[in-house]
Amino acid sequence: MQVPLLDLRPQYAALKEEILAEIASICDSQRFILGPKVEEFEAALAAYCRSGAAVGVTSGSDALIIALMAEGIGAGDEVITSTFTFFATAGAIARVGAKPVFADIDPATFNIDVADAERKITARTKAIIPVHLFGQCADMDPILELARSRKLIVIEDACQAIGAEYRGKRAGSMGDYGAFSFFPSKNLGCFGDGGAVSCRSEETAKKLKIFRNHGQSDTYFHRFIGGNFRLDALQAAILTIKLRHLDDWSEARRRNAKHYNELFAAAGLEGKIGTPAEASYPVRHIYNQYCIKVAGGKRDALKQFLADRGVGCAVYYPLPLHLQPCFAELGGKAGDMPVAEKVAGEILALPIYGETAPEQRAFVVDSIAEFLK
Ligand SMILES: *Cc1c(COP(=O)(O)O)cnc(C)c1O
């Protein structure tokens, strides 16, 4: 039996005719840059995320960059984020010339440890970027309270968390900005790279749109130095079609996660591996990844064992950001972030996408049981 980590072909097969017709009609129009298809998607996304507005951009990485640019964050500023996230979160901070300042994580949710973030605040701190890792929201109330009291901008990195909820609120609707990625492996993926920024008001969206188009306020008059961060009409049209199915796909992932939890419990493995913990606060976890923890230095051997049996799995992320060579000059050293460093050595993502069959999950759990016996 083969169990790939992700196979997007069945999802595409179900929507193929509708998507190809839409692509053909855009090709006939030869209108590829921004325009009504992008605006239609932005409106649908803002409604889905229950945010004031949304602006389509080139990628999740650029969504973070453009939010930082719109706030004028740059050289001399510090931005606090989690050390345990995809590189782009910190890369965006460095790309605008600011200094990424890392905080450790909560061992249960893998999201930013708010007390540690608070300890990292200095007079130069301008913003905090909580990451809703693997599809589960960070503990936003204390983060928003901290931001309010210390006058910090909050940019939610919701790239893995579209449709995730925290106390009934949607990811990307709680902070000043939310960054979304439509990289194909995210819960809502396009046919290439794409992203979006959510924000509270149309007025802020207008500013983001200026930055998205080289800081141009009127044709060939530039108020700011922006960039080319425009979402394509083709990607926007594909996303509008797929967005209608997102809740079904995320519900399927949630069901699959529950099934895994039951299988691990039935196999008596709950004490031997760590299954993903739901947060102590009310959340809707959308399981962009289902990550287990394997202690005792056995993770890499298990990964190889599963790969040999045709089970796709992956390590997100093997090295926390404070230890990455490119950030060496920030002075991070081993031992600085003990929780993230431990988790990085134990974590393993298993196949969770909606179209996996129950027998495939049983095979994954049986294989792990065999390895551990
Ligand atoms: C995917 C991702 C990004 C970057 O998105 P791209 O569209 O690949 O640029 C940023 N942050 C997190 C947490 C991500 O998972």
Side-chain angles (χ1 to χ4, degrees):
M1 186 184 294
Q2 292 287 316
V3 194
L5 183 61
L6 177 64
D7 183 359
L8 290 165
R9 287 171 301 179
Q11 187 190 84
Y12 173 55
L15 300 174
K16 187 169 175 173
E17 261 97 85
E18 193 182 354
I19 288 175
L20 290 182
E22 188 69 356
I23 290 174
S25 116
I26 293 168
C27 291
D28 287 342
S29 81
Q30 288 292 299
R31 294 185 53 171
F32 298 115
I33 307 296
L34 299 176
K37 295 293 172 189
V38 173
E39 285 164 22
E40 187 189 346
F41 173 64
E42 288 170 340
L45 181 69
Y48 181 81
C49 297
R50 302 177 198 144
S51 64
V55 177
V57 297
T58 25
S59 68
S61 306
D62 288 339
L64 292 162
I65 287 176
I66 200 173
L68 291 161
M69 287 178 117
E71 288 299 325
I73 292 170
D77 298 331
E78 296 178 359
V79 178
I80 296 172
T81 194
S82 167
T83 189
F84 193 66
T85 171
F86 178 56
F87 174 78
T89 320
I93 299 167
R95 284 280 308 280
V96 298
K99 178 181 168 186
V101 175
F102 297 112
D104 207 349
I105 55 168
D106 173 86
T109 63
F110 314 129
N111 284 324
I112 196 164
D113 173 340
V114 186
D116 196 39
E118 184 167 12
R119 283 192 288 274
K120 303 287 163 64
I121 294 174
T122 72
R124 292 169 179 257
T125 309
K126 289 282 158 32
I128 178 166
I129 307 184
V131 182
H132 305 315
L133 202 69
F134 304 144
Q136 177 161 248
C137 286
D139 195 1
M140 288 304 292
D141 279 352
I143 291 168
L144 293 167
E145 182 49 42
L146 188 63
R148 216 168 6 244
S149 69
R150 308 294 289 263
K151 301 214 169 1
L152 308 178
I153 295 295
V154 177
I155 302 170
E156 299 176 63
D157 183 337
C159 286
Q160 299 180 5
I162 186 164
E165 291 177 12
Y166 172 84
R167 298 187 189 281
K169 295 198 181 103
R170 287 259 158 110
S173 72
M174 296 171 274
D176 298 281
Y177 301 90
F180 295 92
S181 166
F182 307 120
F183 184 79
S185 68
K186 309 295 165 113
N187 282 30
L188 179 66
C190 59
F191 290 5
D193 278 305
V197 191
S198 58
C199 57
R200 294 203 176 112
S201 67
E202 281 300 339
E203 200 181 319
T204 307
K206 220 181 259 174
K207 191 170 176 192
L208 290 166
K209 285 175 186 171
I210 291 173
F211 276 95
R212 171 174 75 178
N213 201 15
H214 290 296
Q216 177 172 279
S217 43
D218 290 300
T219 309
Y220 305 129
F221 288 86
H222 299 262
R223 257 172 74 196
F224 313 104
I225 302 170
N228 174 358
F229 300 126
R230 300 182 298 251
L231 180 68
D232 287 355
L234 284 169
Q235 301 299 352
I238 292 164
L239 288 163
T240 298
I241 293 171
K242 291 182 77 172
L243 180 59
R244 297 179 198 129
H245 303 273
L246 177 61
D247 277 331
D248 289 342
W249 297 332
S250 292
E251 278 311 313
R253 286 169 178 264
R254 287 168 53 76
R255 276 197 302 277
N256 294 352
K258 191 163 166 274
H259 185 217
Y260 265 133
N261 293 344
E262 289 161 5
L263 290 169
F264 280 121
L269 291 179
E270 269 186 327
K272 295 191 186 165
I273 60 146
T275 53
E278 289 229 339
S280 56
Y281 41 86
V283 289
R284 177 185 188 231
H285 192 329
I286 55 131
Y287 289 97
N288 179 244
Q289 301 297 341
Y290 178 94
C291 291
I292 60 168
K293 287 192 284 185
V294 191
K298 292 194 211 138
R299 191 267 316 273
D300 292 339
L302 173 60
K303 181 169 181 272
Q304 188 58 51
F305 182 85
L306 291 173
D308 291 344
R309 298 186 125 218
V311 175
C313 47
V315 175
Y316 307 115
Y317 297 95
L319 189 65
L321 297 183
H322 69 283
L323 300 177
Q324 293 288 345
C326 67
F327 292 133
E329 62 184 43
L330 299 175
K333 12 177 229 328
D336 285 353
M337 312 261 160
V339 180
E341 290 167 31
K342 184 162 187 282
V343 168
E346 298 183 346
I347 200 143
L348 189 65
L350 302 178
I352 190 69
Y353 64 97
E355 294 86 356
T356 49
E359 304 77 55
Q360 288 178 304
R361 284 185 293 283
F363 180 70
V364 173
V365 172
D366 287 347
S367 302
I368 293 171
E370 192 181 323
F371 174 84
L372 290 173
K373 110 175 151 224

